PDB file of all heavy atoms in Angstrom:
ATOM      1  N   GLU A 263     186.110 151.672  95.485  1.00 97.00           N
ATOM      2  CA  GLU A 263     186.939 152.853  95.226  1.00 97.00           C
ATOM      3  C   GLU A 263     186.000 154.045  95.052  1.00 97.00           C
ATOM      4  O   GLU A 263     185.209 154.083  94.109  1.00 97.00           O
ATOM      5  CB  GLU A 263     187.780 152.696  93.961  1.00 97.00           C
ATOM      6  CG  GLU A 263     188.620 153.936  93.675  1.00 97.00           C
ATOM      7  CD  GLU A 263     189.385 153.899  92.373  1.00 97.00           C
ATOM      8  OE1 GLU A 263     189.593 152.806  91.809  1.00 97.00           O
ATOM      9  OE2 GLU A 263     189.778 154.985  91.890  1.00 97.00           O
ATOM     10  N   PRO A 264     186.052 155.018  95.978  1.00 96.00           N
ATOM     11  CA  PRO A 264     185.202 156.203  95.834  1.00 96.00           C
ATOM     12  C   PRO A 264     185.655 157.062  94.651  1.00 96.00           C
ATOM     13  O   PRO A 264     186.820 157.027  94.264  1.00 96.00           O
ATOM     14  CB  PRO A 264     185.411 156.976  97.134  1.00 96.00           C
ATOM     15  CG  PRO A 264     186.149 156.066  98.042  1.00 96.00           C
ATOM     16  CD  PRO A 264     186.840 155.055  97.191  1.00 96.00           C
ATOM     17  N   LYS A 265     184.724 157.811  94.099  1.00 96.00           N
ATOM     18  CA  LYS A 265     185.087 158.777  93.065  1.00 96.00           C
ATOM     19  C   LYS A 265     185.986 159.842  93.683  1.00 96.00           C
ATOM     20  O   LYS A 265     185.813 160.202  94.853  1.00 96.00           O
ATOM     21  CB  LYS A 265     183.840 159.439  92.477  1.00 96.00           C
ATOM     22  CG  LYS A 265     183.100 158.561  91.513  1.00 96.00           C
ATOM     23  CD  LYS A 265     182.007 159.319  90.805  1.00 96.00           C
ATOM     24  CE  LYS A 265     181.334 158.402  89.802  1.00 96.00           C
ATOM     25  NZ  LYS A 265     180.223 159.057  89.124  1.00 96.00           N
ATOM     26  N   PRO A 266     186.940 160.362  92.907  1.00 94.00           N
ATOM     27  CA  PRO A 266     187.821 161.405  93.433  1.00 94.00           C
ATOM     28  C   PRO A 266     187.019 162.597  93.956  1.00 94.00           C
ATOM     29  O   PRO A 266     186.074 163.053  93.320  1.00 94.00           O
ATOM     30  CB  PRO A 266     188.668 161.813  92.217  1.00 94.00           C
ATOM     31  CG  PRO A 266     188.625 160.619  91.319  1.00 94.00           C
ATOM     32  CD  PRO A 266     187.272 159.997  91.535  1.00 94.00           C
ATOM     33  N   GLY A 267     187.372 163.055  95.137  1.00 90.00           N
ATOM     34  CA  GLY A 267     186.730 164.214  95.737  1.00 90.00           C
ATOM     35  C   GLY A 267     185.369 163.952  96.347  1.00 90.00           C
ATOM     36  O   GLY A 267     184.731 164.862  96.856  1.00 90.00           O
ATOM     37  N   ALA A 268     184.910 162.696  96.294  1.00 90.00           N
ATOM     38  CA  ALA A 268     183.587 162.381  96.842  1.00 90.00           C
ATOM     39  C   ALA A 268     183.628 162.421  98.361  1.00 90.00           C
ATOM     40  O   ALA A 268     184.605 162.021  98.981  1.00 90.00           O
ATOM     41  CB  ALA A 268     183.129 161.006  96.375  1.00 90.00           C
ATOM     42  N   ASN A 269     182.547 162.898  98.941  1.00 89.00           N
ATOM     43  CA  ASN A 269     182.400 162.868 100.391  1.00 89.00           C
ATOM     44  C   ASN A 269     181.806 161.502 100.719  1.00 89.00           C
ATOM     45  O   ASN A 269     180.607 161.306 100.668  1.00 89.00           O
ATOM     46  CB  ASN A 269     181.476 164.005 100.847  1.00 89.00           C
ATOM     47  CG  ASN A 269     181.353 164.058 102.355  1.00 89.00           C
ATOM     48  OD1 ASN A 269     182.102 163.411 103.078  1.00 89.00           O
ATOM     49  ND2 ASN A 269     180.390 164.827 102.826  1.00 89.00           N
ATOM     50  N   PHE A 270     182.664 160.554 101.047  1.00 90.00           N
ATOM     51  CA  PHE A 270     182.259 159.155 101.181  1.00 90.00           C
ATOM     52  C   PHE A 270     182.283 158.756 102.644  1.00 90.00           C
ATOM     53  O   PHE A 270     183.340 158.672 103.257  1.00 90.00           O
ATOM     54  CB  PHE A 270     183.227 158.274 100.388  1.00 90.00           C
ATOM     55  CG  PHE A 270     182.691 156.910 100.082  1.00 90.00           C
ATOM     56  CD1 PHE A 270     182.154 156.631  98.841  1.00 90.00           C
ATOM     57  CD2 PHE A 270     182.730 155.904 101.031  1.00 90.00           C
ATOM     58  CE1 PHE A 270     181.658 155.373  98.538  1.00 90.00           C
ATOM     59  CE2 PHE A 270     182.242 154.634 100.731  1.00 90.00           C
ATOM     60  CZ  PHE A 270     181.707 154.380  99.490  1.00 90.00           C
ATOM     61  N   ASN A 271     181.106 158.512 103.203  1.00 93.00           N
ATOM     62  CA  ASN A 271     181.012 158.070 104.589  1.00 93.00           C
ATOM     63  C   ASN A 271     180.870 156.550 104.573  1.00 93.00           C
ATOM     64  O   ASN A 271     179.828 156.017 104.197  1.00 93.00           O
ATOM     65  CB  ASN A 271     179.810 158.715 105.281  1.00 93.00           C
ATOM     66  CG  ASN A 271     179.724 158.341 106.746  1.00 93.00           C
ATOM     67  OD1 ASN A 271     179.755 157.173 107.106  1.00 93.00           O
ATOM     68  ND2 ASN A 271     179.615 159.355 107.589  1.00 93.00           N
ATOM     69  N   ILE A 272     181.928 155.884 104.978  1.00 94.00           N
ATOM     70  CA  ILE A 272     181.985 154.428 104.855  1.00 94.00           C
ATOM     71  C   ILE A 272     180.902 153.727 105.690  1.00 94.00           C
ATOM     72  O   ILE A 272     180.279 152.774 105.241  1.00 94.00           O
ATOM     73  CB  ILE A 272     183.399 153.897 105.188  1.00 94.00           C
ATOM     74  CG1 ILE A 272     183.525 152.438 104.754  1.00 94.00           C
ATOM     75  CG2 ILE A 272     183.736 154.077 106.641  1.00 94.00           C
ATOM     76  CD1 ILE A 272     184.952 151.946 104.745  1.00 94.00           C
ATOM     77  N   GLU A 273     180.639 154.198 106.902  1.00 95.00           N
ATOM     78  CA  GLU A 273     179.646 153.521 107.750  1.00 95.00           C
ATOM     79  C   GLU A 273     178.231 153.760 107.232  1.00 95.00           C
ATOM     80  O   GLU A 273     177.416 152.830 107.210  1.00 95.00           O
ATOM     81  CB  GLU A 273     179.770 153.948 109.212  1.00 95.00           C
ATOM     82  CG  GLU A 273     178.830 153.211 110.149  1.00 95.00           C
ATOM     83  CD  GLU A 273     178.872 151.679 110.067  1.00 95.00           C
ATOM     84  OE1 GLU A 273     179.904 151.091 109.685  1.00 95.00           O
ATOM     85  OE2 GLU A 273     177.835 151.048 110.373  1.00 95.00           O
ATOM     86  N   GLU A 274     177.918 154.972 106.798  1.00 96.00           N
ATOM     87  CA  GLU A 274     176.589 155.222 106.216  1.00 96.00           C
ATOM     88  C   GLU A 274     176.382 154.375 104.967  1.00 96.00           C
ATOM     89  O   GLU A 274     175.293 153.837 104.750  1.00 96.00           O
ATOM     90  CB  GLU A 274     176.424 156.701 105.876  1.00 96.00           C
ATOM     91  CG  GLU A 274     176.193 157.587 107.072  1.00 96.00           C
ATOM     92  CD  GLU A 274     176.030 159.051 106.677  1.00 96.00           C
ATOM     93  OE1 GLU A 274     175.849 159.358 105.473  1.00 96.00           O
ATOM     94  OE2 GLU A 274     176.110 159.901 107.582  1.00 96.00           O
ATOM     95  N   THR A 275     177.433 154.274 104.156  1.00 96.00           N
ATOM     96  CA  THR A 275     177.348 153.467 102.934  1.00 96.00           C
ATOM     97  C   THR A 275     177.144 152.005 103.282  1.00 96.00           C
ATOM     98  O   THR A 275     176.308 151.318 102.690  1.00 96.00           O
ATOM     99  CB  THR A 275     178.614 153.655 102.076  1.00 96.00           C
ATOM    100  OG1 THR A 275     178.733 155.045 101.742  1.00 96.00           O
ATOM    101  CG2 THR A 275     178.559 152.830 100.807  1.00 96.00           C
ATOM    102  N   ARG A 276     177.886 151.498 104.273  1.00 96.00           N
ATOM    103  CA  ARG A 276     177.736 150.106 104.692  1.00 96.00           C
ATOM    104  C   ARG A 276     176.313 149.841 105.176  1.00 96.00           C
ATOM    105  O   ARG A 276     175.685 148.848 104.801  1.00 96.00           O
ATOM    106  CB  ARG A 276     178.742 149.746 105.795  1.00 96.00           C
ATOM    107  CG  ARG A 276     178.778 148.234 106.076  1.00 96.00           C
ATOM    108  CD  ARG A 276     179.287 147.913 107.454  1.00 96.00           C
ATOM    109  NE  ARG A 276     178.364 148.335 108.494  1.00 96.00           N
ATOM    110  CZ  ARG A 276     177.213 147.718 108.808  1.00 96.00           C
ATOM    111  NH1 ARG A 276     176.834 146.640 108.154  1.00 96.00           N
ATOM    112  NH2 ARG A 276     176.431 148.171 109.763  1.00 96.00           N
ATOM    113  N   GLN A 277     175.791 150.751 105.991  1.00 96.00           N
ATOM    114  CA  GLN A 277     174.440 150.576 106.522  1.00 96.00           C
ATOM    115  C   GLN A 277     173.398 150.575 105.402  1.00 96.00           C
ATOM    116  O   GLN A 277     172.460 149.767 105.412  1.00 96.00           O
ATOM    117  CB  GLN A 277     174.117 151.656 107.545  1.00 96.00           C
ATOM    118  CG  GLN A 277     174.859 151.482 108.844  1.00 96.00           C
ATOM    119  CD  GLN A 277     174.605 152.635 109.817  1.00 96.00           C
ATOM    120  OE1 GLN A 277     173.886 153.581 109.528  1.00 96.00           O
ATOM    121  NE2 GLN A 277     175.216 152.536 110.993  1.00 96.00           N
ATOM    122  N   LYS A 278     173.548 151.470 104.444  1.00 97.00           N
ATOM    123  CA  LYS A 278     172.583 151.559 103.346  1.00 97.00           C
ATOM    124  C   LYS A 278     172.638 150.309 102.470  1.00 97.00           C
ATOM    125  O   LYS A 278     171.596 149.736 102.116  1.00 97.00           O
ATOM    126  CB  LYS A 278     172.847 152.819 102.510  1.00 97.00           C
ATOM    127  CG  LYS A 278     171.840 153.059 101.425  1.00 97.00           C
ATOM    128  CD  LYS A 278     170.468 153.329 101.993  1.00 97.00           C
ATOM    129  CE  LYS A 278     169.494 153.678 100.882  1.00 97.00           C
ATOM    130  NZ  LYS A 278     168.118 153.712 101.336  1.00 97.00           N
ATOM    131  N   ILE A 279     173.840 149.853 102.136  1.00 97.00           N
ATOM    132  CA  ILE A 279     173.974 148.647 101.314  1.00 97.00           C
ATOM    133  C   ILE A 279     173.423 147.440 102.075  1.00 97.00           C
ATOM    134  O   ILE A 279     172.712 146.604 101.511  1.00 97.00           O
ATOM    135  CB  ILE A 279     175.440 148.434 100.885  1.00 97.00           C
ATOM    136  CG1 ILE A 279     175.854 149.551  99.904  1.00 97.00           C
ATOM    137  CG2 ILE A 279     175.634 147.057 100.245  1.00 97.00           C
ATOM    138  CD1 ILE A 279     177.337 149.594  99.600  1.00 97.00           C
ATOM    139  N   ASP A 280     173.715 147.358 103.369  1.00 96.00           N
ATOM    140  CA  ASP A 280     173.207 146.273 104.210  1.00 96.00           C
ATOM    141  C   ASP A 280     171.675 146.270 104.201  1.00 96.00           C
ATOM    142  O   ASP A 280     171.042 145.222 104.029  1.00 96.00           O
ATOM    143  CB  ASP A 280     173.740 146.426 105.628  1.00 96.00           C
ATOM    144  CG  ASP A 280     173.203 145.359 106.560  1.00 96.00           C
ATOM    145  OD1 ASP A 280     173.636 144.190 106.443  1.00 96.00           O
ATOM    146  OD2 ASP A 280     172.347 145.694 107.406  1.00 96.00           O
ATOM    147  N   GLU A 281     171.091 147.439 104.359  1.00 96.00           N
ATOM    148  CA  GLU A 281     169.629 147.562 104.357  1.00 96.00           C
ATOM    149  C   GLU A 281     169.042 147.120 103.016  1.00 96.00           C
ATOM    150  O   GLU A 281     168.062 146.376 102.965  1.00 96.00           O
ATOM    151  CB  GLU A 281     169.258 149.018 104.650  1.00 96.00           C
ATOM    152  CG  GLU A 281     167.794 149.347 104.569  1.00 96.00           C
ATOM    153  CD  GLU A 281     167.561 150.842 104.735  1.00 96.00           C
ATOM    154  OE1 GLU A 281     168.081 151.430 105.711  1.00 96.00           O
ATOM    155  OE2 GLU A 281     166.877 151.423 103.872  1.00 96.00           O
ATOM    156  N   LEU A 282     169.664 147.554 101.930  1.00 96.00           N
ATOM    157  CA  LEU A 282     169.172 147.202 100.599  1.00 96.00           C
ATOM    158  C   LEU A 282     169.299 145.695 100.340  1.00 96.00           C
ATOM    159  O   LEU A 282     168.388 145.082  99.778  1.00 96.00           O
ATOM    160  CB  LEU A 282     169.917 148.003  99.529  1.00 96.00           C
ATOM    161  CG  LEU A 282     169.592 149.500  99.519  1.00 96.00           C
ATOM    162  CD1 LEU A 282     170.642 150.278  98.745  1.00 96.00           C
ATOM    163  CD2 LEU A 282     168.207 149.733  98.943  1.00 96.00           C
ATOM    164  N   LEU A 283     170.418 145.101 100.754  1.00 95.00           N
ATOM    165  CA  LEU A 283     170.582 143.655 100.582  1.00 95.00           C
ATOM    166  C   LEU A 283     169.591 142.891 101.458  1.00 95.00           C
ATOM    167  O   LEU A 283     169.044 141.871 101.036  1.00 95.00           O
ATOM    168  CB  LEU A 283     172.020 143.236 100.911  1.00 95.00           C
ATOM    169  CG  LEU A 283     173.087 143.647  99.905  1.00 95.00           C
ATOM    170  CD1 LEU A 283     174.485 143.324 100.438  1.00 95.00           C
ATOM    171  CD2 LEU A 283     172.861 142.968  98.553  1.00 95.00           C
ATOM    172  N   SER A 284     169.361 143.386 102.666  1.00 94.00           N
ATOM    173  CA  SER A 284     168.428 142.715 103.580  1.00 94.00           C
ATOM    174  C   SER A 284     167.013 142.675 103.023  1.00 94.00           C
ATOM    175  O   SER A 284     166.292 141.695 103.226  1.00 94.00           O
ATOM    176  CB  SER A 284     168.412 143.416 104.938  1.00 94.00           C
ATOM    177  OG  SER A 284     169.617 143.215 105.620  1.00 94.00           O
ATOM    178  N   THR A 285     166.607 143.731 102.334  1.00 94.00           N
ATOM    179  CA  THR A 285     165.246 143.775 101.808  1.00 94.00           C
ATOM    180  C   THR A 285     165.096 143.087 100.456  1.00 94.00           C
ATOM    181  O   THR A 285     163.993 142.672 100.100  1.00 94.00           O
ATOM    182  CB  THR A 285     164.732 145.230 101.691  1.00 94.00           C
ATOM    183  OG1 THR A 285     165.610 145.961 100.843  1.00 94.00           O
ATOM    184  CG2 THR A 285     164.641 145.880 103.055  1.00 94.00           C
ATOM    185  N   SER A 286     166.196 142.926  99.710  1.00 93.00           N
ATOM    186  CA  SER A 286     166.078 142.368  98.366  1.00 93.00           C
ATOM    187  C   SER A 286     166.627 140.946  98.218  1.00 93.00           C
ATOM    188  O   SER A 286     166.348 140.284  97.219  1.00 93.00           O
ATOM    189  CB  SER A 286     166.762 143.282  97.344  1.00 93.00           C
ATOM    190  OG  SER A 286     168.160 143.328  97.582  1.00 93.00           O
ATOM    191  N   VAL A 287     167.407 140.493  99.184  1.00 91.00           N
ATOM    192  CA  VAL A 287     168.024 139.163  99.078  1.00 91.00           C
ATOM    193  C   VAL A 287     167.639 138.339 100.308  1.00 91.00           C
ATOM    194  O   VAL A 287     168.230 138.503 101.376  1.00 91.00           O
ATOM    195  CB  VAL A 287     169.564 139.275  98.952  1.00 91.00           C
ATOM    196  CG1 VAL A 287     170.187 137.896  98.800  1.00 91.00           C
ATOM    197  CG2 VAL A 287     169.965 140.191  97.802  1.00 91.00           C
ATOM    198  N   PRO A 288     166.647 137.455 100.172  1.00 89.00           N
ATOM    199  CA  PRO A 288     166.179 136.686 101.324  1.00 89.00           C
ATOM    200  C   PRO A 288     167.284 135.891 102.033  1.00 89.00           C
ATOM    201  O   PRO A 288     167.295 135.810 103.260  1.00 89.00           O
ATOM    202  CB  PRO A 288     165.130 135.746 100.726  1.00 89.00           C
ATOM    203  CG  PRO A 288     164.671 136.439  99.482  1.00 89.00           C
ATOM    204  CD  PRO A 288     165.864 137.189  98.964  1.00 89.00           C
ATOM    205  N   ASP A 289     168.221 135.311 101.285  1.00 87.00           N
ATOM    206  CA  ASP A 289     169.296 134.536 101.910  1.00 87.00           C
ATOM    207  C   ASP A 289     170.188 135.419 102.784  1.00 87.00           C
ATOM    208  O   ASP A 289     170.642 134.995 103.840  1.00 87.00           O
ATOM    209  CB  ASP A 289     170.159 133.831 100.861  1.00 87.00           C
ATOM    210  CG  ASP A 289     169.436 132.666 100.204  1.00 87.00           C
ATOM    211  OD1 ASP A 289     168.419 132.203 100.754  1.00 87.00           O
ATOM    212  OD2 ASP A 289     169.906 132.217  99.143  1.00 87.00           O
ATOM    213  N   TYR A 290     170.433 136.641 102.332  1.00 88.00           N
ATOM    214  CA  TYR A 290     171.249 137.572 103.115  1.00 88.00           C
ATOM    215  C   TYR A 290     170.527 137.914 104.423  1.00 88.00           C
ATOM    216  O   TYR A 290     171.106 137.854 105.500  1.00 88.00           O
ATOM    217  CB  TYR A 290     171.524 138.837 102.297  1.00 88.00           C
ATOM    218  CG  TYR A 290     172.381 139.856 102.997  1.00 88.00           C
ATOM    219  CD1 TYR A 290     173.765 139.775 102.943  1.00 88.00           C
ATOM    220  CD2 TYR A 290     171.806 140.910 103.707  1.00 88.00           C
ATOM    221  CE1 TYR A 290     174.566 140.713 103.583  1.00 88.00           C
ATOM    222  CE2 TYR A 290     172.597 141.853 104.348  1.00 88.00           C
ATOM    223  CZ  TYR A 290     173.973 141.754 104.284  1.00 88.00           C
ATOM    224  OH  TYR A 290     174.758 142.682 104.916  1.00 88.00           O
ATOM    225  N   HIS A 291     169.256 138.232 104.302  1.00 87.00           N
ATOM    226  CA  HIS A 291     168.463 138.562 105.493  1.00 87.00           C
ATOM    227  C   HIS A 291     168.403 137.362 106.440  1.00 87.00           C
ATOM    228  O   HIS A 291     168.546 137.507 107.654  1.00 87.00           O
ATOM    229  CB  HIS A 291     167.054 138.991 105.091  1.00 87.00           C
ATOM    230  CG  HIS A 291     166.181 139.323 106.249  1.00 87.00           C
ATOM    231  ND1 HIS A 291     166.351 140.466 106.997  1.00 87.00           N
ATOM    232  CD2 HIS A 291     165.145 138.647 106.818  1.00 87.00           C
ATOM    233  CE1 HIS A 291     165.457 140.481 107.974  1.00 87.00           C
ATOM    234  NE2 HIS A 291     164.716 139.393 107.886  1.00 87.00           N
ATOM    235  N   GLY A 292     168.224 136.180 105.882  1.00 85.00           N
ATOM    236  CA  GLY A 292     168.155 134.968 106.700  1.00 85.00           C
ATOM    237  C   GLY A 292     169.455 134.702 107.444  1.00 85.00           C
ATOM    238  O   GLY A 292     169.443 134.290 108.613  1.00 85.00           O
ATOM    239  N   LEU A 293     170.574 134.964 106.806  1.00 80.00           N
ATOM    240  CA  LEU A 293     171.886 134.798 107.440  1.00 80.00           C
ATOM    241  C   LEU A 293     172.018 135.720 108.642  1.00 80.00           C
ATOM    242  O   LEU A 293     172.463 135.310 109.717  1.00 80.00           O
ATOM    243  CB  LEU A 293     172.987 135.092 106.414  1.00 80.00           C
ATOM    244  CG  LEU A 293     174.422 134.851 106.825  1.00 80.00           C
ATOM    245  CD1 LEU A 293     174.674 133.362 107.031  1.00 80.00           C
ATOM    246  CD2 LEU A 293     175.354 135.388 105.740  1.00 80.00           C
ATOM    247  N   LYS A 294     171.597 136.963 108.467  1.00 84.00           N
ATOM    248  CA  LYS A 294     171.653 137.931 109.569  1.00 84.00           C
ATOM    249  C   LYS A 294     170.782 137.478 110.737  1.00 84.00           C
ATOM    250  O   LYS A 294     171.181 137.551 111.893  1.00 84.00           O
ATOM    251  CB  LYS A 294     171.180 139.314 109.095  1.00 84.00           C
ATOM    252  CG  LYS A 294     172.163 140.046 108.240  1.00 84.00           C
ATOM    253  CD  LYS A 294     171.615 141.381 107.789  1.00 84.00           C
ATOM    254  CE  LYS A 294     171.454 142.300 108.964  1.00 84.00           C
ATOM    255  NZ  LYS A 294     171.170 143.675 108.616  1.00 84.00           N
ATOM    256  N   GLU A 295     169.579 137.034 110.408  1.00 84.00           N
ATOM    257  CA  GLU A 295     168.638 136.617 111.447  1.00 84.00           C
ATOM    258  C   GLU A 295     169.088 135.342 112.157  1.00 84.00           C
ATOM    259  O   GLU A 295     169.004 135.241 113.382  1.00 84.00           O
ATOM    260  CB  GLU A 295     167.245 136.396 110.839  1.00 84.00           C
ATOM    261  CG  GLU A 295     166.590 137.668 110.345  1.00 84.00           C
ATOM    262  CD  GLU A 295     166.259 138.623 111.464  1.00 84.00           C
ATOM    263  OE1 GLU A 295     165.674 138.178 112.467  1.00 84.00           O
ATOM    264  OE2 GLU A 295     166.607 139.815 111.344  1.00 84.00           O
ATOM    265  N   MET A 296     169.560 134.377 111.395  1.00 83.00           N
ATOM    266  CA  MET A 296     169.927 133.084 111.959  1.00 83.00           C
ATOM    267  C   MET A 296     171.121 133.193 112.910  1.00 83.00           C
ATOM    268  O   MET A 296     171.122 132.613 113.986  1.00 83.00           O
ATOM    269  CB  MET A 296     170.264 132.095 110.838  1.00 83.00           C
ATOM    270  CG  MET A 296     170.535 130.689 111.341  1.00 83.00           C
ATOM    271  SD  MET A 296     171.028 129.496 110.047  1.00 83.00           S
ATOM    272  CE  MET A 296     170.052 129.947 108.648  1.00 83.00           C
TER     273      MET A 296
END
């Protein structure tokens, strides 16, 4: 749930969260690679 009035770009947010999970969670990165 975005904060009211926030300029929320869903795809940029998804990409950033994906990148952060890929670098910090080996199992997540492994799933993507496999």
Side-chain angles (χ1 to χ4, degrees):
E263 179 185 341
K265 283 189 178 177
N269 183 12
F270 199 100
N271 183 308
I272 193 167
E273 184 52 27
E274 285 180 13
T275 301
R276 190 203 68 75
Q277 288 176 359
K278 185 65 175 170
I279 292 170
D280 178 73
E281 175 186 309
L282 291 163
L283 288 173
S284 290
T285 58
S286 65
V287 182
D289 288 343
Y290 181 86
H291 179 72
L293 186 67
K294 285 179 67 169
E295 293 294 312
M296 185 183 323

